[in-house]
Amino acid sequence: MRPPIVIILAAGEGTRMKSATPKVLHEISGRSLLGHVIEAASTIEPEHLVVVVGHESEQVVAHLDEVAPWVATVEQTQRNGTGHAVRVALEFLSERGVTTSEAPVVVLTGDTPLLTGESLVTMLTKHSENTAAATVLTADLDNPFGYGRILRSSDRVVGIVEEKDATPQQREIGEINSGMYAFEGAALLDAITGLNTSNSQGEEYLTDVIEILASRGDVVIGVSAHDTSDILGINDRSQLASAMAIMRDRINDKWMKAGVTIFDPESTWIDVDAELAPDVTLFPQTTVRGPTAIETGAQVGPGTTLISAEVGVNAIVRHTWAELVVIGAGATVGPYTYLRPGTVIGASGKAGAFVEMKNAQLGEGSKVPHLSYVGDATIGVGTNIGAGTIFVNYDGVEKHHTTVGDQARVGSDNMLIGPVVIGDGAYTAAGSVVTEDVPAGAMAVGRARQRNILDWVLRKRPGTQSAQAAQRATQSDQSGHEKVQARTPTFPAQDIIE
């Protein structure tokens, strides 16, 4: 059997989505609905794959150029039904010298993201084994309301009847039409010329091809999908959410069987492009988006979102949002940490509670334990950044870089005004504003001398609770107050700014 030709129908408006985004471009698990169908179709290794576009075609084509540049597109300028869309695709292929009469033609719909390659392989295999003119991918549903029913005579499919046209007896049939088919190329080319628009919608229905082939005695069979959820189409946001949950469960089940511990699968969402090693642990309310890679022994969550991130062996990431970052082996991050693009946490490094980092490299074993902002910075090995430190990187026009060397100690509540360099082994005093480079091994003190203005509260806030407390303290411990006076400098009245 020659490799198949695949046609994906993606021209519809999807009005029930009520969205400016074309229906087939809505996403599930990090991939568009159309992207999921293309991924499933790639399983059967098509010789040609054509996507029929229509509504917002420019957006759809641009998306395909980005995610699947190897597929061809053709626009259905006048959307006259599914049969017409297939005919447009066949004409497009013929104009490009592709012979469609000698290969099986598989027709799929672009809004069925749960479709699996396994179902397509089964359909195509059965199609070939039975030398069928057409094969319909079907499913048996407990509640088939709204779907076209498969009409059979013995093992053969003789037609498809839509819900609105079905008799009460036909509505009892549980086997439904998925809208996806495999055709013998020559039979499709011949039958599709017999379509007409004599129906309530005034459109050419692809389902009529099935009836045409069956009526002339050609072999038409129905093949059940691997799972009934494979054929579920998306028409509105409710169905989108249902499909998301099914895809989530499929992905989580795959990873758990591969050795990943997921404490709460219902609150854990993993995109299709993520890669997780055995013995990774995911705690509740964890989201893993994009091509994120998590290595063996890492613990992620609870309450954590990773987007296109790398997490090293045995790293721990708690209550964190991290995007386009690298977290090294044995590093600890969180809780309540925000790691922005370009951040690299070195092996055994730490970005602690309420820390934000952006475009910053933290060296091996270095720590930013809490309440700090580190932007546009390079921090060396074994360095500690004190609580409440701000790397001041923006002057209102440009961003500036700060470099902190190895084994340095930045005091609490520092402001490091970039561009500035703090040398290896240097210290900065707590509360400093550092505006100049600090040589290796030096101590930088960038703060004003403290002045105590005695009795200010008694003079300026008489009668307040603060004044009363101060007066009581003075009266009960006069000797202690005198000791404080003895070691506290006084200032002339003209020097006091009140």
Side-chain angles (χ1 to χ4, degrees):
M1 182 175 64
R2 280 182 54 184
I5 292 169
V6 174
I7 298 171
I8 299 177
L9 308 183
E13 292 187 32
T15 54
R16 281 181 280 174
M17 296 295 287
K18 294 181 171 57
S19 174
T21 301
K23 178 174 71 170
V24 295
L25 299 191
H26 282 264
E27 289 194 355
I28 287 179
S29 301
R31 183 180 290 156
S32 69
L33 306 187
L34 180 55
H36 281 289
V37 178
I38 291 172
E39 182 68 18
S42 68
T43 306
I44 56 176
E45 300 180 348
E47 184 177 11
H48 300 280
L49 192 155
V50 179
V51 177
V52 181
V53 299
H55 178 66
E56 298 291 351
S57 60
E58 291 184 359
Q59 288 189 51
V60 178
V61 170
H63 173 71
L64 291 174
D65 286 343
E66 180 180 352
V67 303
W70 52 276
V71 309
T73 59
V74 59
E75 185 171 4
Q76 185 187 19
T77 54
Q78 293 184 329
R79 291 183 284 284
N80 294 330
T82 52
H84 177 257
V86 172
R87 186 151 53 82
V88 167
L90 293 172
E91 291 171 354
F92 169 82
L93 289 165
S94 178
E95 289 169 1
R96 281 151 183 77
V98 177
T99 303
T100 56
S101 61
E102 299 175 1
V105 177
V106 175
V107 178
L108 308 175
T109 56
D111 62 353
T112 52
L114 300 174
L115 179 66
T116 61
E118 188 170 359
S119 284
L120 293 183
V121 169
T122 299
M123 178 178 70
L124 207 54
T125 300
K126 295 293 185 182
H127 177 77
S128 176
E129 289 175 352
N130 288 273
T131 321
T135 300
V136 186
L137 187 65
T138 71
D140 288 294
L141 302 182
D142 294 333
N143 180 15
F145 179 80
Y147 287 94
R149 307 303 204 279
I150 299 295
L151 305 181
R152 287 182 178 268
S153 175
S154 186
D155 291 337
R156 299 283 185 88
V157 173
V158 295
I160 299 170
V161 60
E162 297 302 325
E163 171 82 27
K164 63 181 181 298
D165 300 321
T167 66
Q169 184 178 7
Q170 289 170 336
R171 290 194 183 102
E172 295 299 317
I173 298 172
E175 186 179 19
I176 60 95
N177 174 34
S178 71
M180 294 177 275
Y181 315 87
F183 295 99
E184 192 270 320
L188 175 62
L189 286 169
D190 182 50
I192 206 165
T193 61
L195 296 181
N196 58 60
T197 58
S198 299
N199 52 62
S200 60
Q201 299 296 320
E203 297 179 347
E204 298 178 21
Y205 291 153
L206 188 59
T207 50
D208 290 346
V209 170
I210 299 299
E211 187 173 348
I212 291 170
L213 294 174
S215 66
R216 69 188 194 188
D218 289 347
V219 176
V220 180
I221 64 171
V223 174
S224 295
H226 175 66
D227 188 285
T228 55
S229 63
D230 286 9
I231 58 89
L232 296 180
I234 306 300
N235 292 303
D236 56 36
R237 305 296 181 111
S238 178
Q239 292 175 343
L240 181 69
S242 297
M244 286 179 177
I246 293 170
M247 184 68 76
R248 174 204 63 202
D249 293 345
R250 286 183 181 180
I251 293 170
N252 288 350
D253 185 64
K254 179 191 77 169
W255 287 118
M256 287 188 286
K257 288 177 177 176
V260 173
T261 296
I262 301 179
F263 275 82
D264 183 14
E266 289 190 0
S267 71
T268 301
W269 298 81
I270 305 171
D271 277 0
V272 292
D273 292 332
E275 290 293 334
L276 283 65
D279 287 325
V280 163
T281 299
L282 301 182
F283 289 89
Q285 298 178 335
T286 291
T287 300
V288 181
R289 293 171 52 190
T292 293
I294 306 177
E295 297 295 335
T296 297
Q299 300 179 35
V300 178
T304 293
T305 296
L306 302 177
I307 305 173
S308 302
E310 297 179 23
V311 180
V313 173
N314 296 327
I316 298 174
V317 186
R318 303 274 191 250
H319 291 289
T320 293
W321 184 286
E323 180 175 3
L324 289 168
V325 305
V326 176
I327 299 170
T332 58
V333 177
Y336 313 114
T337 304
Y338 183 22
L339 301 183
R340 293 165 58 190
T343 295
V344 177
I345 308 294
S348 301
K350 179 178 182 179
F354 301 101
V355 168
E356 178 179 349
M357 299 181 70
K358 186 271 293 185
N359 191 30
Q361 288 74 49
L362 185 67
E364 182 178 351
S366 291
K367 299 177 181 179
V368 187
H370 26 230
L371 301 165
S372 296
Y373 170 70
V374 181
D376 298 295
T378 301
I379 299 171
V381 173
T383 287
N384 188 81
I385 307 298
T389 293
I390 306 298
F391 284 62
V392 183
N393 58 335
Y394 185 48
D395 65 7
V397 178
E398 296 179 347
K399 297 291 181 69
H400 299 282
H401 197 85
T402 293
T403 299
V404 181
D406 297 341
Q407 302 297 337
R409 301 291 182 265
V410 174
S412 295
D413 197 28
N414 271 213
M415 297 279 185
L416 309 182
I417 313 295
V420 69
V421 176
I422 298 174
D424 293 348
Y427 278 57
T428 65
S432 291
V433 177
V434 180
T435 59
E436 299 177 1
D437 291 353
V438 182
M443 160 70 88
V445 181
R447 62 191 183 201
R449 183 179 181 186
Q450 178 179 328
R451 296 186 300 167
N452 295 335
I453 303 170
L454 300 180
D455 297 328
W456 184 92
V457 173
L458 296 175
R459 289 184 290 106
K460 295 297 183 179
R461 300 290 186 268
T464 64
Q465 292 182 349
S466 298
Q468 294 169 12
Q471 193 167 24
R472 286 194 298 270
T474 300
Q475 292 171 351
S476 64
D477 193 10
Q478 185 65 38
S479 61
H481 185 67
E482 290 173 355
K483 291 178 183 178
V484 172
Q485 284 183 313
R487 57 186 172 83
T488 302
T490 58
F491 302 92
Q494 63 268 25
D495 290 343
I496 298 175
I497 302 175
E498 300 178 354

